Amino acid sequence: RKEVEQDPGPFNVPEGATVAFNCTYSNSASQSFFWYRQDCRKEPKLLMSVYSSGNEDGRFTAQLNRASQYISLLIRDSKLSDSATYLCVVNINNNDMRFGAGTRLTVKP
Amino acid sequence: GAGVSQSPSNKVTEKGKDVELRCDPISGHTALYWYRQSLGQGLEFLIYFQGNSAPDKSGLPSDRFSAERTGGSVSTLTIQRTQQEDSAVYLCASSLDSGSPTDTQYFGPGTRLTVL
């Protein structure tokens, strides 16, 4: 089993739609969690950290469920510019970071 | 301030040649990571430097790969006797490594390696 698993997609949604991605992780001792965004042929960039209580940043909401070992990312009112690959990242121990393979999102007009 | 920089941005080499890839982390960041990303794939962890500790080399795919970090700053990833399957984007990242589990990684733009 992979340490971090994501549905690769692609998710194709119209502008304005709400879309959600899930990510599961295998190491129950994982310490912290992040969502990164990677545009085509670009480096990954931090989108948001994921906190235990869940957190929101504008149209983006991240949730963590430690009991079930999954993380989610919800995007509301999706924009064309949201088209990218979303990477789930888990810090399993002292900055030992593991990346999921990513979920590809395409937002269409 | 300046972000993570990598050089060269592109490298084309012939099979069997050695290559060196360079990474300049963000000033003050003590943790440095190398990853490899093949086309359409996720990031593959290669090696991790943390301060003055021995590096975590568990991700290096073969003994043709090596990396060093001089003076706790600049790092060089060396691939000897390159093979076509080494073709990928090599990404470097650094983090503050303050001990907080919320430390995040900042990535350089990557070096695109093509082995002919």
Side-chain angles (χ1 to χ4, degrees):
Chain A
R1 182 184 172 188
K2 291 182 182 177
E3 289 177 330
V4 182
E5 294 203 61
Q6 296 182 249
D7 179 346
F11 284 66
N12 298 308
V13 303
E15 270 187 291
T18 296
V19 61
F21 310 134
N22 286 332
C23 165
T24 58
Y25 60 96
S26 60
N27 189 326
S28 60
S30 298
Q31 300 177 340
S32 53
F33 311 88
F34 309 88
W35 284 101
Y36 276 69
R37 171 195 168 125
Q38 186 173 25
D39 292 288
C40 187
R41 301 176 80 86
K42 297 285 190 182
E43 73 273 22
K45 292 186 178 179
L46 178 67
L47 178 64
M48 59 197 302
S49 302
V50 186
Y51 301 116
S52 296
S53 56
N55 48 300
E56 189 173 306
D57 183 1
R59 297 181 295 108
F60 299 85
T61 300
Q63 295 278 351
L64 167 64
N65 185 321
R66 284 191 183 270
S68 301
Q69 294 181 207
Y70 80 79
I71 308 140
S72 65
L73 177 68
L74 181 78
I75 306 175
R76 290 183 299 279
D77 188 23
S78 51
K79 311 291 185 190
L80 296 177
S81 57
D82 294 335
S83 297
T85 295
Y86 291 83
L87 303 172
C88 174
V89 184
V90 177
N91 181 348
I92 64 174
N93 181 42
N94 195 25
N95 287 317
D96 186 353
M97 308 285 266
R98 303 295 163 143
F99 284 73
T103 298
R104 191 152 58 92
L105 171 67
T106 301
V107 181
K108 299 186 174 180
Chain B
V4 178
S5 61
Q6 292 186 245
S7 61
S9 54
N10 281 285
K11 177 72 177 178
V12 180
T13 190
E14 293 179 348
K15 178 180 172 181
K17 301 280 189 182
D18 297 352
V19 294
E20 279 191 357
L21 312 180
R22 177 187 167 107
C23 172
D24 280 271
I26 292 172
S27 178
H29 279 194
T30 56
L32 186 148
Y33 307 76
W34 282 99
Y35 296 90
R36 175 168 75 173
Q37 188 172 34
S38 300
L39 188 64
Q41 302 297 310
L43 275 71
E44 176 188 1
F45 166 77
L46 297 178
I47 188 169
Y48 163 45
F49 295 90
Q50 181 183 33
N52 295 321
S53 303
D56 175 358
K57 303 180 181 180
S58 60
L60 294 179
S62 78
D63 59 8
R64 296 186 294 105
F65 288 72
S66 62
E68 61 178 23
R69 189 177 184 193
T70 53
S73 181
V74 172
S75 177
T76 302
L77 177 69
T78 301
I79 309 173
Q80 296 178 310
R81 305 181 302 282
T82 52
Q83 304 294 313
Q84 288 183 330
E85 61 263 27
D86 298 335
S87 297
V89 176
Y90 288 81
L91 290 160
C92 175
S94 71
S95 71
L96 194 56
D97 194 24
S98 64
S100 167
T102 57
D103 271 344
T104 56
Q105 296 185 359
Y106 297 87
F107 282 83
T111 293
R112 186 173 300 277
L113 175 66
T114 304
V115 182
L116 302 177

